[in-house]
Amino acid sequence: MRPLAPKPDLVMQTHDAIRIAIMSGELEPFAPLAQEELAASLGVSRQPVSHALILLKREGLVVDRGRKGQMVAPIDAERLLALYQVRGALDGLAARLAATASTGKNCQSILNKLIKDGASCVERGEIAPLVDADVAFHQAIYDLAGNTEISAMVEGCWPHMVRSMRVVLDDSDAHSGIWADHRAIANAIIAGDANAAETMATQHASKAGEATYQRLKSL
């Protein structure tokens, strides 16, 4: 076996940088992805950019644009609806497991802090922190559930959902309702009410999926 490189692989660094730019909206849907320009912007050669784009294409974040190279994938309303349906089942399971396994002061402290952070983001009305707070809340429930396979299975959904959340959260009227749902889910988990936690988490994901679908279709 060859010795391990002392630094992270340059291809993965390039992949992560482009992935973050796509998720944040810095690289918008349909934006052309010229390898030369990306390489110059990131200060790398074309080779890691080429390999990174292959990985991002497998993730569904990059697509071909005919003979003109590649571009950022459009946000697909149908795919998002399907992803939310899958996530709803996993979120329900995670909430049930968290309510069963994580009652106590530590669980309460974690979830209450996340709810407080989310409420602060709602007050400020800033989209990027709201998205980050939303993701952090759900990932905390996956951690509290104690089943690492849940996080692993949802991981592939997040890049697509984060992109769509930035579109949906442009509607500020939805902010308080989303975090009211989060508070109810958190309270059920803290109380150890597994049935209520599962039902509310599943319904929350379903509602978010439908709202996302309708918003994207209207655009």
Side-chain angles (χ1 to χ4, degrees):
M1 293 185 291
R2 63 184 177 85
L4 295 175
K7 295 182 180 180
D9 186 271
L10 187 58
V11 171
M12 291 312 300
Q13 288 183 325
T14 304
H15 163 274
D16 292 346
I18 300 173
R19 190 176 192 253
I20 290 170
I22 292 173
M23 290 170 62
S24 69
E26 180 183 349
L27 289 173
E28 298 181 345
F30 301 102
L33 297 170
Q35 293 186 21
E36 296 86 351
E37 293 178 9
L38 290 171
S41 177
L42 295 171
V44 298
S45 68
R46 285 185 56 182
Q47 185 177 24
V49 171
S50 177
H51 288 301
L53 291 177
I54 291 172
L55 296 175
L56 291 164
K57 186 176 179 180
R58 291 175 184 169
E59 295 174 29
L61 294 174
V62 168
V63 295
D64 293 326
R65 58 183 193 123
R67 297 180 179 179
K68 297 181 179 180
Q70 294 170 305
M71 66 180 182
V72 177
I75 299 176
D76 186 335
E78 301 291 342
R79 182 176 189 182
L80 262 297
L81 183 61
L83 288 174
Y84 269 102
Q85 289 171 345
V86 172
R87 209 194 91 186
L90 293 171
D91 279 11
L93 173 60
R96 168 173 284 279
L97 292 175
T100 302
S102 301
T103 55
K105 291 184 178 180
N106 185 51
C107 169
Q108 184 174 352
S109 174
I110 291 170
L111 292 178
N112 282 341
K113 182 182 184 305
L114 289 166
I115 294 296
K116 182 179 179 181
D117 291 344
S120 176
C121 291
V122 170
E123 289 180 6
R124 298 197 305 271
E126 299 172 359
I127 301 301
L130 262 175
V131 172
D132 292 342
D134 195 301
V135 174
F137 174 77
H138 290 289
Q139 288 182 331
I141 295 177
Y142 304 152
D143 292 340
L144 291 169
N147 185 329
T148 57
E149 292 302 319
I150 295 175
S151 293
M153 294 182 74
V154 177
E155 178 63 25
C157 300
W158 278 123
H160 303 282
M161 291 183 177
V162 166
R163 295 177 73 206
S164 70
M165 286 164 67
R166 295 181 186 281
V167 175
V168 174
L169 289 176
D170 278 342
D171 178 10
S172 59
D173 292 339
H175 298 178
S176 58
I178 290 170
W179 282 92
D181 283 357
H182 289 172
R183 164 53 75 185
I185 295 167
N187 286 344
I189 291 173
I190 292 168
D193 190 339
N195 288 334
E198 179 178 20
T199 297
M200 286 189 287
T202 301
Q203 290 177 344
H204 173 69
S206 177
K207 185 164 60 175
E210 185 60 31
T212 298
Y213 178 78
Q214 294 298 336
R215 176 74 169 163
L216 291 174
K217 294 295 282 187
S218 70
L219 295 173

